[in-house]
Every structure is written in structure tokens, then in C-alpha cells.
Amino acid sequence: AGGAAMADGEGLVSVDYEVSGKVQGVFFRKYTQGEAKRLGLVGWVQNTSHGTVQGQIQGPTARVRELQEWLRKIGSPQSRISRAEFSNEKKITALEHKDFQILK
């Protein structure tokens, strides 16, 4: 009885993330962008001043879960992920980004 978009149980979600470890200077952002685009997700990724990588992911729940798993366990070939934290997860009715960007 909800809106047609949610009827298939494939609602859209938005979630923020921060990945700690050896994640800067190892093409982590480029690989994250590539993986997100492969999954059809939108959002952004950037390096922080304290040595982590952070960003936001938006898209169908199942695909977002796949990227979360990738951020937690895989990352770029040279990276060493010690921790991936996710926060501010919420359902959204429409994507708030056009594509997945690397922010400077």
C-alpha cells in the first residue's frame, strides 16, 4: 500500500561511511569510485585530514550493502583496511547525487 517505488522491497538508502587504515595514497578513492559505478551507486568519496577516507553512498539497498562489504573487506589492492564505520543510514525517495564523485 506504499508508493509504487517501494513495492518491490528495493527501496533506496543513503549511508555515510568512514574507512580507517592504510587507505590514502593507495588509489582507494579511484577504486571506490569504480566499484560504486559498477554497482550503479551514486555518492562521493574523499580523503580526510586525519588519514581516513570518507563519503556517502546512495542507491538500492542490496547494492549499497555490497559496497559496504567491499569497503569493509576489500578496498584497493594496496590498501589495508582496519575499520569501516557506517552512520546516518536512512531511506530516501530519490537519489541526491548524479553520479559517484571523488572530492578533493
Side-chain angles (χ1 to χ4, degrees), residues 81-92:
I81 299 164
S82 58
R83 192 166 81 240
E85 294 182 85
F86 301 98
S87 57
N88 301 324
E89 182 166 321
K90 57 183 190 280
K91 287 190 163 159
I92 53 175

Side-chain angles (χ1 to χ4, degrees), residues 1-92:
M6 294 294 178
D8 57 358
E10 259 295 283
L12 299 172
V13 294
S14 173
V15 65
D16 296 343
Y17 62 88
E18 183 167 12
V19 185
S20 311
K22 184 187 166 198
V23 293
Q24 289 193 6
V26 291
F27 300 105
F28 198 90
R29 292 172 300 169
K30 189 170 181 296
Y31 275 87
T32 300
Q33 180 188 48
E35 190 65 12
K37 288 190 163 175
R38 189 180 73 74
L39 290 166
L41 300 171
V42 301
W44 52 272
V45 58
Q46 72 180 160
N47 284 341
T48 68
S49 56
H50 50 274
T52 64
V53 168
Q54 66 175 18
Q56 185 174 71
I57 316 163
Q58 293 187 347
T61 309
R63 295 294 176 104
V64 168
R65 293 283 174 261
E66 283 189 58
L67 189 60
Q68 285 179 295
E69 195 67 1
W70 185 90
L71 286 166
R72 198 180 277 126
K73 298 190 168 146
I74 302 170
S76 67
Q78 304 294 306
S79 67
R80 292 284 175 276
I81 299 164
S82 58
R83 192 166 81 240
E85 294 182 85
F86 301 98
S87 57
N88 301 324
E89 182 166 321
K90 57 183 190 280
K91 287 190 163 159
I92 53 175

